[in-house]
Amino acid sequence: MATDADQELQRAKLRVEELRSQISYHDYRYFVLDQPEISDAEYDELVRELRQLEEKYPQLITPDSPTQRIGGAPVEAFGIVEHPQPLLSLANAFSEEELRAWHRRATGLAEADTFAMVCEPKIDGLAVALEYHDGKLAVGSTRGDGYRGENITQNLRTIRSIPLRVADSKIPRLFEVRGEVFMTKTGFERLNEERAERGEPLFANPRNSAAGSVRQLDPRATAGRPLDIFVYGLGWAGGGALPQSHWETLHWLSALGFKVNPHIARCESIDDVWRHCQQWGEKREGLEYEIDGIVVKVDDVRLHEVLGVVGREPRWAVAFKFPPTQRTTRLLDIGINVGRTGSMNPYAVLEPVNIGGAVVKLATLHNEEDIKRKDVRIGDTVIVQRAGEVIPQVVGPVASKRTGRERPFVPPEKCPACGTQLVRPEGEVMRYCPNPACPAQTFRLLAHFVSRGAMDIDGIGEQLSLALLEAGLVRNPGDLYFLNKEDLLKLERMGEKSAQNVLDAIEASRGRPLQRVLFALGIRHVGSETAALLAQHFGSMDALMRASVEELAAVPSIGPVVAESVRAYFRDRAHRRLIERLRRGGVRMEAEAPAAREGPLSGQTFVITGTLAALSRAEAEARVRSLGGVAGSSVTRSTDYLVAGESPGSKLEKAQQYGTKVLSDEEFMALLRRHRAG
Ligand code: IVH
């Protein structure tokens, strides 16, 4: 007979499986399809429940559990993976003529007038191979020299669009999928901004930065980087029928849950292919990632055999390459922008130049050190690079074009916005304005706080940030959480509806994860990557605020400069006041619900919905936690009580559906009073 413990374990096992499928499904909706079905909070709730079960029953943890994406211990060095089938490269075509020449040759060899071809964006990242054994991701590797690559399985597991398992009964027992790991343009810009501030060498482009990121020795560092993948083919497979055309292969992979680029096209003629290449030459700017050409592949897989491979280049595919996006122009001057942390950010004023269809007048120069290292002088002819929406950058001077009239850049001694004497902390590459009330800093900080990767307060952009500061409605980001409609209506061109939208967006931002809150604070040297590490390690704002420099520096990947900067930030009273104001405004200060403490409500889960007369939601949740209860954000089968205030919405229906007990505002207050937490 099964004991109670056995039965409980059995139930937990079923629930764990159910949660894993649900989480994988929502990962797929979010990271592959970009069409989430549930809110972040509901998703967090599923992960939290799974984590709790896995903590209680560690024997149920498997490597393909979504909780195991991050967590691998740092690898000493990467092992070598022999590729059973080499990862090939591609012949290039730089013009229409070269493209047509490729087609003539291939059709000649295939003894056909033409054949169908598949066009895919050529993603500028790095090639990887993903091996699946019995539907589970077993080995992930780099291309290396095509025959032998590096084993980066642990790092690839952190990329959420890579399925850890594929659920389909008809898949081959063993197969290898190939694709390109890349970094989005905005992710790259952010990362470089952070590196510039820390005085670390900058990545030249998103491709290098993706390559650097997957080769981090600590998978946790990889996990903090905004990486993604597009899968573009099947390497090899054993056991099971496979599609006979490349087009079908891509659809098959997509149906299995892999992320295939949405801009693939099947063309019947080389004329169509050429039109497609031209179109994308113009449209590529609009993509969130960099592409440097279009890969054209013969669709019929049987023809691949016929056409064969010369050297390492298959004759059944070719890469049409777009013209380069670098041009030379004159550097007229170097200006300074004041950053959100008070850093002085130099930028180049250029003689306008057309690069890839857009006129470029300004470009970034990152920091003083960078200018010195590259020896860029005012008046120089410089190489400027632009790739899509990435801010154009000065690659370096063309020294041979110097006339002798060029002048070296002299960094300012005073803040251009407020006139305060600048400081340069020892060992740092940036100069800073130490005045916390510097108007340029206040503005930059607010604009950063509301921006997408930070608190993502939709509707408050740079313009509205400036208007709020100028009207005196907001003096620091904490003030945002105390704005009301009357305040907003005082602003020019602000109607009822937009005011409500702004308030709704502010409300939504209260629940952003701790790592975003930390990043939003604009602490010097704390970019999104570092913020994620800190949030994960300390778990709450309070714990982080209490941490000593030694404790901070003990966090993997956090160096002494960052540790000192975090400590200095929290030592400052103005910053502590800001945190308090954010907390009182209902902003989340914990990474996840803290481990429930023992109390009269231990083991019971509450969800608060609607408006309560006496408490804000955040306050009500804090009371529940103080009594040992768990405060959930969405109603699930394991919710014990739904506290329904005024206008409870859909959660009430869900509670009724599950038969969850519903407490009115008064009943809830009475319960708190009984336990002396009201
Ligand atoms: S197919 C024989 N498809 O380009 C087929 N490659 O120059 C070889 N790449 O190493 C690869 N996007 O890193 C293929 N849609 C795409 C691609 C792509 C980017 C990269 C890949 C490869 C390199 C070849």
Side-chain angles (χ1 to χ4, degrees):
M1 254 222 10
T3 61
D4 281 358
D6 282 344
Q7 277 179 356
E8 205 182 306
L9 177 65
Q10 214 44 44
R11 263 199 305 276
K13 196 170 174 187
L14 286 176
R15 181 67 187 145
V16 160
E17 267 313 305
E18 185 184 9
L19 285 166
R20 284 182 189 156
S21 320
Q22 282 179 8
I23 293 167
S24 300
Y25 172 74
H26 291 301
D27 276 346
Y28 172 70
R29 301 282 322 181
Y30 187 93
F31 293 104
V32 178
L33 301 183
D34 198 14
Q35 290 166 357
E37 269 176 6
I38 57 172
S39 69
D40 288 0
E42 283 165 316
Y43 176 86
D44 289 348
E45 180 70 24
L46 295 173
V47 176
R48 195 174 307 157
E49 193 185 340
L50 177 60
R51 273 224 177 94
Q52 279 169 357
L53 282 170
E54 288 182 342
E55 263 165 37
K56 195 160 170 201
Y57 304 104
Q59 66 269 46
L60 297 182
I61 300 178
T62 57
D64 62 334
S65 172
T67 58
Q68 302 301 301
R69 282 196 187 264
I70 319 172
V75 270
E76 286 287 318
F78 303 109
I80 297 288
V81 173
E82 302 263 350
H83 298 304
Q85 295 265 353
L87 270 74
L88 301 171
S89 53
L90 290 166
N92 291 321
F94 291 101
S95 63
E96 178 183 358
E97 189 34 48
E98 288 180 15
L99 179 69
R100 289 185 185 276
W102 165 79
H103 182 254
R104 267 196 306 277
R105 178 133 194 255
T107 45
L109 287 166
E111 295 176 8
D113 288 339
T114 190
F115 35 58
M117 285 156 280
V118 177
C119 294
E120 301 166 15
K122 186 168 190 298
I123 313 294
D124 208 2
L126 86 155
V128 297
L130 305 169
E131 247 178 68
Y132 286 79
H133 298 178
D134 292 322
K136 293 194 179 129
L137 174 63
V139 185
S141 55
T142 61
R143 175 173 184 275
D145 63 4
Y147 299 95
R148 287 151 59 89
E150 283 172 315
N151 186 333
I152 51 163
T153 317
Q154 288 300 76
N155 290 353
L156 291 177
R157 297 170 70 85
T158 68
I159 302 177
R160 310 284 286 270
S161 43
I162 296 183
L164 297 180
R165 57 176 169 180
V166 284
D168 188 307
S169 53
K170 292 189 291 291
I171 50 165
R173 226 176 62 68
L174 296 175
F175 66 96
E176 183 208 69
V177 171
R178 293 177 179 178
E180 194 86 349
V181 167
F182 64 96
M183 191 174 280
T184 58
K185 294 174 190 171
T186 37
F188 160 73
E189 273 171 25
R190 274 235 157 95
L191 189 63
N192 253 1
E193 265 173 38
E194 291 164 16
R195 294 176 73 89
E197 275 206 7
R198 289 200 293 259
E200 292 172 2
L202 303 178
F203 288 119
N205 49 47
R207 196 183 68 76
N208 289 6
S209 95
S213 300
V214 293
R215 296 193 68 263
Q216 292 287 319
L217 286 176
D218 186 346
R220 279 167 301 192
T222 306
R225 302 273 173 94
L227 293 170
D228 206 340
I229 192 169
F230 281 123
V231 148
Y232 54 63
L234 200 55
W236 47 265
L242 295 174
Q244 280 306 297
S245 77
H246 184 63
W247 185 247
E248 285 166 31
T249 305
L250 292 178
H251 285 82
W252 181 76
L253 288 169
S254 170
L256 285 184
F258 290 100
K259 186 161 177 171
V260 173
N261 190 283
H263 306 296
I264 53 172
R266 190 170 181 277
C267 297
E268 292 290 346
S269 71
I270 195 67
D271 289 341
D272 281 354
V273 168
W274 172 237
R275 260 192 296 277
H276 183 87
C277 291
Q278 279 173 302
Q279 275 171 9
W280 276 100
E282 285 160 25
K283 285 201 291 194
R284 68 168 157 151
E285 300 288 328
L287 292 174
E288 236 310 284
Y289 44 86
E290 284 199 349
I291 65 173
D292 59 348
I294 297 289
V295 181
V296 184
K297 298 174 185 172
V298 174
D299 191 29
D300 188 337
V301 174
R302 284 165 308 190
L303 279 182
H304 294 187
E305 292 276 319
V306 177
L307 293 170
V309 177
V310 219
R312 294 199 190 174
E313 295 167 359
R315 275 190 292 230
W316 48 266
V318 70
F320 173 74
K321 297 292 273 289
F322 297 135
T325 49
Q326 281 193 344
R327 290 284 300 275
T328 57
T329 188
R330 247 168 58 86
L331 175 64
L332 302 177
D333 202 357
I334 294 181
I336 295 281
N337 261 326
V338 182
R340 62 173 186 267
T341 57
S343 59
M344 298 294 126
N345 307 325
Y347 62 89
V349 182
L350 303 167
E351 204 165 83
V353 58
N354 190 318
I355 312 180
V359 178
V360 174
K361 295 183 199 149
L362 301 175
T364 176
L365 278 162
H366 301 296
N367 58 43
E368 259 175 54
E369 263 326 286
D370 209 38
I371 300 176
K372 246 198 246 158
R373 196 165 42 221
K374 291 177 179 161
D375 187 23
V376 176
R377 304 179 197 172
I378 298 166
D380 260 338
T381 296
V382 288
I383 301 168
V384 181
Q385 176 170 295
R386 173 169 177 271
E389 278 155 321
V390 173
I391 308 168
Q393 44 177 317
V394 174
V395 179
V398 185
S400 59
K401 293 234 170 134
R402 288 217 167 117
T403 60
R405 285 197 299 273
E406 297 75 14
R407 322 177 255 124
F409 169 62
V410 184
E413 295 293 329
K414 297 206 162 122
C415 172
C418 68
T420 307
Q421 184 74 31
L422 300 178
V423 293
R424 182 167 171 172
E426 239 191 77
E428 295 215 6
V429 287
M430 295 283 225
R431 275 166 211 264
Y432 295 91
C433 166
N435 171 15
C438 169
Q441 273 180 64
T442 318
F443 165 64
R444 291 258 158 235
L445 175 63
L446 189 61
H448 164 72
F449 187 88
V450 298
S451 70
R452 266 191 94 187
M455 297 301 269
D456 192 10
I457 306 187
D458 214 21
I460 306 191
E462 298 211 343
Q463 258 184 349
L464 190 51
S465 295
L466 198 60
L468 288 166
L469 288 168
E470 280 177 351
L473 290 172
V474 167
R475 264 162 302 163
N476 65 48
D479 294 342
L480 290 173
Y481 295 93
F482 296 86
L483 284 173
N484 55 37
K485 207 183 254 176
E486 291 76 71
D487 289 338
L488 288 172
L489 289 173
K490 285 184 206 145
L491 297 173
E492 252 178 70
R493 285 194 300 274
M494 176 68 73
E496 274 281 331
K497 196 157 175 267
S498 14
Q500 190 55 51
N501 288 344
V502 168
L503 290 176
D504 289 348
I506 293 175
E507 168 60 27
S509 76
R510 288 191 162 98
R512 298 269 180 268
L514 179 63
Q515 66 185 70
R516 296 257 222 126
V517 181
L518 275 177
F519 173 55
L521 292 176
I523 304 172
R524 197 175 292 167
H525 303 313
V526 178
S528 50
E529 194 187 332
T530 307
L533 291 170
L534 292 172
Q536 200 195 339
H537 188 88
F538 291 98
S540 74
M541 187 70 85
D542 287 335
L544 178 63
M545 286 169 86
R546 279 195 303 268
S548 64
V549 171
E550 293 72 36
E551 285 166 327
L552 286 159
V555 180
S557 307
I558 303 270
V561 175
V562 179
E564 184 47 61
S565 165
V566 173
R567 191 67 212 109
Y569 181 90
F570 289 118
R571 221 180 281 135
D572 187 320
R573 281 185 50 200
H575 293 148
R576 297 177 87 93
R577 272 201 301 274
L578 169 62
I579 307 283
E580 261 334 289
R581 193 147 172 80
L582 289 168
R583 190 197 307 272
R584 268 190 288 122
V587 172
R588 182 161 159 177
M589 296 281 154
E590 256 120 33
E592 280 188 14
R597 29 176 178 149
E598 280 303 305
L601 302 185
S602 286
Q604 299 183 41
T605 303
F606 287 71
V607 172
I608 320 278
T609 184
T611 319
L612 302 180
L615 299 174
S616 73
R617 203 174 74 199
E619 284 167 333
E621 290 177 351
R623 306 281 160 100
V624 167
R625 287 191 207 111
S626 74
L627 292 171
V630 174
S633 49
S634 61
V635 179
T636 66
R637 258 182 268 276
S638 51
T639 308
D640 297 291
Y641 294 100
L642 177 76
V643 179
E646 216 175 284
S647 328
S650 65
K651 286 187 183 151
L652 185 57
E653 283 164 36
K654 231 176 171 179
Q656 279 154 354
Q657 202 181 316
Y658 290 144
T660 311
K661 241 187 233 138
V662 178
L663 296 181
S664 68
D665 191 348
E666 297 75 41
E667 285 168 322
F668 177 61
M669 293 310 291
L671 178 111
L672 294 183
R673 271 194 300 277
R674 255 202 319 282
H675 298 299
R676 274 200 279 270

